[in-house]
Amino acid sequence: MGVADLGLPVDVPSTALFTDHYELTMLQAALRAGTAERRSVFEVFTRRLPDGRRYGVVAGTGRVLDAVENFRFDAGVLGFLRERRVVDDATLDWLAGYRFGGDIWGYPEGEVYFPGSPIMRVEGSFAECVLLETVILSILNHDSAVAAAASRMASAAGDRPLIEMGARRTHELAAVAASRAAYVGGFTTTSDLAAGFRYGIPTVGTSAHAFTLLHDSERDAFRAQVESLGRGTTLLVDTYDVTEAVRLAVEVAGPELGAVRIDSGDLLLVAHRVRQQLDALGASQTKIIVTSDLDEYAIASLAAAPVDAYGVGTRLVTGSGHPTCSMVYKLVARAESADPKAPLVPVAKKSTGGKTSVGGRKWAARRLDEHGVAEAEVVGIGPVPDELADRQLLVQLVKGGEVISREPLDVVRDRHAAARANLPLSATQLSRGEPVIPTEYV
């Protein structure tokens, strides 16, 4: 669900300058050379997963579709390009009428991917496709990195809910995108109201130490919060002494107290002590929420602790150590001429240094074993083998410049949970290892 689904207004500026200078200068040169209109196929893929990751998560597809729709060179944008003399007048005239009119195929958002997976395929003239490179990579690299971290954290958390709390640890606009990606990866709520407004993600909040310090006593702070927000609120209990704070919290709110939050100390030890104390005070239904620089490893270490929910910030919005997925956008096929009927020929980078690519317009399918568990990512050019025909991964997202596949965010989130569940069990291991299934080229 997004703003359009909620019936809420939102300012949608042009995304045309979310690009690199050289995209436009390449366009100018191609227009002069008469090659700009050659039919072309670009693919997004990564040569490797971040170190130690067993699978990747496709996230940001919905945002890519928004960016493509709003990739327009309006008067203000054209004026900037003219003033800076980025391109010549003939190119500015071409850009003034730019509308992407090609096709885009991609892995459905929420799906998992592996090295070499053609995550997205953009087809059209060279001119219209090359301009989209930077914005597509910017979105997919960021959102997929956050979603992959979120997925690992969700796997480590099991049935316990996760709260995204990273808005103050990143750029304000990146924070909204990160909230969306975290929800795709398995988080249940966010503290970021902008993400709730734009994408319909459930929002929650507790209180900060500043609220306790504002009042003359911890009792006064707890009383003020409970009187305003009700007994079901969450009280922060580690501003001073945790044991005394838990006693006061139950005394003020009664056994109906919703939850307490612990934000410091040895979380495993403190959580056990707080649980024992809450139970002894008759607050057996009061939940325990823990925060404090959590990542998937810290969450896994708390599996045996009496914790009911986790709040995660910094490590989540920075991809838990891997803030990008190193995806690239490469030309893999182009027509022999500008004639619309000219055949496509495969092209590929052949330089050394680990940056080679595989040419040709590709399909992808996931082969399953006899138990329905994924055993290989199969990528090929040409006819799809009959046994893989119903396991193809790419779906059409844009046809003739029109978006034809938009999905509610909950559908995307459910898809990821299903995709992760279909991977071998070793996919959820946090120990370092190779991709959980190999990529086979046929």
Side-chain angles (χ1 to χ4, degrees), residues 255-270:
E256 299 84 14
L257 174 62
V260 296
R261 177 163 75 98
I262 307 167
D263 188 48
S264 59
D266 183 337
L267 297 178
L268 179 62
L269 176 62
V270 176

Side-chain angles (χ1 to χ4, degrees), residues 282-440:
S284 60
Q285 300 303 308
T286 299
K287 298 183 183 301
I288 297 174
I289 299 172
V290 295
T291 53
S292 186
D293 292 327
L294 298 178
D295 61 11
E296 59 266 48
Y297 300 101
I299 291 168
S301 73
L302 292 168
V307 172
D308 297 286
Y310 306 94
V312 190
T314 304
R315 297 291 290 178
L316 173 65
V317 299
T318 56
S320 194
H322 297 289
T324 181
C325 301
S326 300
M327 294 178 186
V328 294
Y329 183 97
K330 296 298 181 183
L331 181 67
V332 297
R334 51 88 174 165
E336 294 178 335
S337 70
D339 185 341
K341 297 181 180 180
L344 288 173
V345 294
V347 294
K349 182 177 179 180
K350 298 298 184 183
S351 60
T352 59
K355 288 191 173 183
T356 59
S357 56
V358 178
R361 183 180 186 272
K362 301 173 194 68
W363 53 263
R366 191 160 298 143
R367 191 172 68 240
L368 308 180
D369 64 17
E370 63 273 19
H371 304 293
V373 177
E375 65 176 10
E377 190 88 336
V378 185
V379 178
I381 301 169
V384 181
D386 291 342
E387 65 272 17
L388 295 175
D390 62 348
R391 299 299 308 167
Q392 293 191 71
L393 292 163
L394 282 91
V395 299
Q396 190 158 22
L397 304 170
V398 176
K399 183 176 182 180
E402 297 295 324
V403 174
I404 62 172
S405 179
R406 288 195 186 278
E407 299 178 304
L409 205 52
D410 283 330
V411 170
V412 174
R413 187 170 181 271
D414 291 345
R415 175 182 294 119
H416 175 63
R420 189 178 64 199
N422 283 337
L423 295 177
L425 286 176
S426 56
T428 61
Q429 293 178 345
L430 296 181
S431 57
R432 294 186 180 275
E434 297 300 314
V436 69
I437 61 174
T439 301
E440 300 177 357

Side-chain angles (χ1 to χ4, degrees), residues 143-156:
D143 289 24
S144 296
V146 174
S151 178
R152 286 161 60 86
M153 293 174 189
S155 179

Side-chain angles (χ1 to χ4, degrees), residues 104-119:
I104 298 178
W105 295 71
Y107 278 36
E109 189 167 14
E111 184 57 83
V112 296
Y113 70 87
F114 300 91
S117 297
I119 298 163

Side-chain angles (χ1 to χ4, degrees), residues 26-197:
M26 283 193 293
L27 168 65
Q28 175 179 307
L31 288 170
R32 287 192 179 186
T35 53
E37 296 305 319
R38 286 189 177 185
R39 191 159 53 99
S40 300
V41 179
F42 286 82
E43 288 176 353
V44 177
F45 62 94
T46 184
R47 296 182 176 92
R48 65 191 64 84
L49 297 179
D51 187 33
R53 296 289 168 88
R54 316 302 293 275
Y55 61 92
V57 181
V58 178
T61 306
R63 297 207 308 119
V64 167
L65 298 179
D66 292 340
V68 171
E69 279 192 329
N70 296 303
F71 206 93
R72 305 283 188 267
F73 291 85
D74 56 29
V77 171
L78 292 170
F80 166 79
L81 296 175
R82 181 176 290 107
E83 177 185 350
R84 296 296 179 93
R85 298 183 179 179
V86 175
V87 290
D88 60 21
D89 288 343
T91 305
L92 289 173
D93 289 343
W94 189 94
L95 291 173
Y98 178 84
R99 298 291 186 274
F100 179 73
D103 300 334
I104 298 178
W105 295 71
Y107 278 36
E109 189 167 14
E111 184 57 83
V112 296
Y113 70 87
F114 300 91
S117 297
I119 298 163
M120 186 169 286
R121 190 172 71 222
V122 183
E123 305 181 22
S125 70
F126 175 85
E128 62 184 337
C129 294
V130 74
L131 294 180
L132 299 178
E133 175 181 6
T134 302
V135 70
I136 288 177
L137 289 179
S138 176
I139 293 171
L140 293 180
N141 269 313
H142 173 269
D143 289 24
S144 296
V146 174
S151 178
R152 286 161 60 86
M153 293 174 189
S155 179
D159 294 332
R160 296 171 178 176
L162 291 155
I163 309 165
E164 186 278 311
M165 303 172 67
R168 63 190 60 188
R169 304 302 187 197
T170 188
H171 186 280
E172 67 273 16
L173 299 181
V176 181
S179 294
R180 183 186 184 279
Y183 193 71
V184 169
F187 276 57
T188 56
T189 53
T190 179
S191 66
D192 192 306
L193 290 176
F197 173 78

